[in-house]
Amino acid sequence: MNSIKRNSSIFLVLLFLYSGCNSNIYEEYYKKTGEDWEAYLEELASEEIDLQNTVVLILKSSECTPSIQELKWWNDYNQNNSNVNVQLIILEKYATTFETFLIHEELQIPALRDSAGILFRNNLLPTTPLKIYINEKGVLENIAVIGNEIDSKQDVFLNALPQ
């Protein structure tokens, strides 16, 4: 019986160490360029959108309260800071739900609607809600979850932005 417990413990320790070896779960998505993202946005918008030095917030209209709270934080940030662009993409099938969401949450962030899940078809991100930062060179520099408390994780994301 003791050997089973010991073997189980060893297995759990090895599993824990192995799972910790994946240093960046978003590694494959960092290979996507600003041009990949701009091509995606061209499918959503009628005009070309320059993503250099831009934070893109991507979520569904049905996301949880912490995500919505962070969206409101970014809304305020966008209104008070001109050093970084902020763009919002809502994955939502229905235009009326998209519009109602923006009005209800009083968001002034430039927003686009992805009604067909083109984001996932182009394999730009694995899930939502996520935010990305594309730097002034058009390189995807940072990916993080939306809805983590506005705390040190948010500070880490913000520290990557130009001041």
Side-chain angles (χ1 to χ4, degrees), residues 7-92:
N7 287 340
S8 296
S9 298
I10 291 171
F11 175 76
L12 289 174
V13 168
L14 290 175
L15 181 64
F16 178 75
L17 290 173
Y18 177 75
S19 64
C21 292
N22 186 0
S23 61
N24 190 341
I25 61 171
Y26 302 120
E27 185 175 348
E28 76 176 275
Y29 302 100
Y30 279 99
K31 295 175 187 170
K32 303 295 181 176
T33 66
E35 291 172 355
D36 293 328
W37 279 91
E38 287 173 355
Y40 163 63
L41 292 181
E42 284 178 15
E43 293 186 61
L44 303 181
S46 56
E47 75 271 355
E48 186 175 322
I49 297 175
D50 180 16
L51 287 179
Q52 292 180 335
N53 198 31
T54 301
V55 171
V56 183
L57 309 165
I58 306 103
L59 69 158
K60 298 173 185 167
S61 61
S62 60
E63 297 291 357
C64 60
T65 301
S67 297
I68 304 304
Q69 289 173 336
E70 185 172 336
L71 268 189
K72 291 180 179 187
W73 185 92
W74 281 106
N75 191 64
D76 292 341
Y77 178 89
N78 191 47
Q79 291 177 350
N80 298 316
N81 295 287
S82 60
N83 57 334
V84 175
N85 301 315
V86 180
Q87 178 73 50
L88 175 61
I89 299 171
I90 305 289
L91 282 78
E92 174 54 54

